[in-house]
Amino acid sequence: VAPPYCSKYTQSRKQFEAAASAFAGEYLESFYPDGIPQQPSAAGEPCDEVWAWLSHLSESHGDAAAVAAVANGSPTEARDYVRRILARLITFVALEHNVVGNVGSLAQDVSFAAFSWPK
């Protein structure tokens, strides 16, 4: 349930997330129109790199069960899973990298934050 009031920042963030998701989806569909094939594949296939990347992410972030479930699903489910990860990474790098532990800079930028320090 959405809160009754969404700040301009929240609205902008949701628009950016939608754009990042659309970009990642179109990018992946251009390379994997039928989805990302399940591993293992023929040696040297581009999908091997995707599965290696997902395996590395799952090992470093403790999400091996999710990647295993995707690996056993359909190729289009795998592509959608990768789209969500890419969109989240794009959003994090573009919007949140300066936020972590640095709320003061947001509070000073009235065009970006929902509030500002009193003048």
Side-chain angles (χ1 to χ4, degrees):
V1 174
Y5 170 76
C6 288
S7 68
K8 289 182 181 179
Y9 170 72
T10 302
Q11 294 168 6
S12 296
R13 177 191 174 81
K14 289 182 181 202
Q15 291 173 342
F16 186 89
E17 287 175 341
S21 181
F23 169 77
E26 290 174 13
Y27 178 83
L28 290 169
E29 286 177 16
S30 68
F31 288 98
Y32 305 103
D34 299 322
I36 299 174
Q38 309 306 325
Q39 67 180 63
S41 65
E45 291 288 325
C47 62
D48 289 343
E49 293 178 7
V50 174
W51 288 110
W53 179 67
L54 285 174
S55 295
H56 174 73
L57 281 178
S58 70
E59 290 170 7
S60 62
H61 295 291
D63 203 14
V67 173
V70 170
N72 293 324
S74 73
T76 54
E77 289 173 332
R79 184 182 62 207
D80 189 55
Y81 183 74
V82 172
R83 177 194 54 79
R84 290 192 311 268
I85 291 173
L86 286 176
R88 181 66 187 112
L89 290 172
I90 291 168
T91 300
F92 181 78
V93 169
L95 298 182
E96 299 171 350
H97 71 282
N98 193 36
V99 178
V100 179
N102 196 8
V103 176
S105 63
L106 289 181
Q108 295 170 15
D109 184 356
V110 295
S111 66
F112 185 68
F115 65 95
S116 66
W117 297 118
K119 294 184 179 187

